[in-house]
């Protein structure tokens, strides 16, 4: 299990930009392409421990997203860049959800349905 640290807004945007550049180089733009290449997605709540001036308990929700369900509900042509904006944390209700795109390793030969 991958434990994702709590990042601030700047670090979160930087990670999203780096991940965006990574899959832009790989030319994978839709969830259908990612599914066909055997990618995995992990989501986590990005709601921090501050709400205005109040200190609140940090949400620790993480989940491995099911690619088949995403393709079936969003369609093969849904852009990866828009996926995080369509998710909501089921535990705290926050719209701030971070999505990590994990391409298959070199030795991983699993493929999704083309």
């Amino acid at each position: 299990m991958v434990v994702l640290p709590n990042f601030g807004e700047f670090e979160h945007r930087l990670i999203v930009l780096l991940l965006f550049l990574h899959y832009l180089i790989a030319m994978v733009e839709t969830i259908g392409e990612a599914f066909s290449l055997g990618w995995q997605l992990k989501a986590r709540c990005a709601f921090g421990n501050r709400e205005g001036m109040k200190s609140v308990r940090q949400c620790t929700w993480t989940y491995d997203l099911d690619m088949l369900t995403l393709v079936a509900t969003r369609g093969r042509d849904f852009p990866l860049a828009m996926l995080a904006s369509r998710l909501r944390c089921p535990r705290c209700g926050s719209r701030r959800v971070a999505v990590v795109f994990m391409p298959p390793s070199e030795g991983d030969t699993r493929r999704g349905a083309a």
Side-chain angles (χ1 to χ4, degrees), residues 32-85:
E33 293 171 350
F35 176 67
S36 295
L37 293 173
W39 284 29
Q40 295 177 346
L41 300 180
K42 180 179 277 293
R44 74 167 179 91
C45 182
F47 187 70
N49 58 357
R50 305 291 296 171
E51 187 173 293
M53 295 298 290
K54 292 188 278 184
S55 183
V56 295
R57 184 173 296 175
Q58 180 180 355
C59 182
T60 58
W61 174 79
T62 60
Y63 192 76
D64 292 324
L65 298 175
D66 182 38
M67 288 295 291
L68 183 59
T69 302
L70 287 173
V71 170
T73 58
R74 306 287 185 217
R76 293 186 62 85
D77 295 331
F78 191 82
L80 283 175
M82 292 180 57
L83 188 58
S85 67

Side-chain angles (χ1 to χ4, degrees), residues 12-24:
H12 173 71
R13 289 177 187 261
L14 182 62
I15 289 172
V16 169
L17 177 64
L18 291 174
L19 290 172
F20 174 76
L21 292 175
H22 175 73
Y23 76 79
L24 184 65

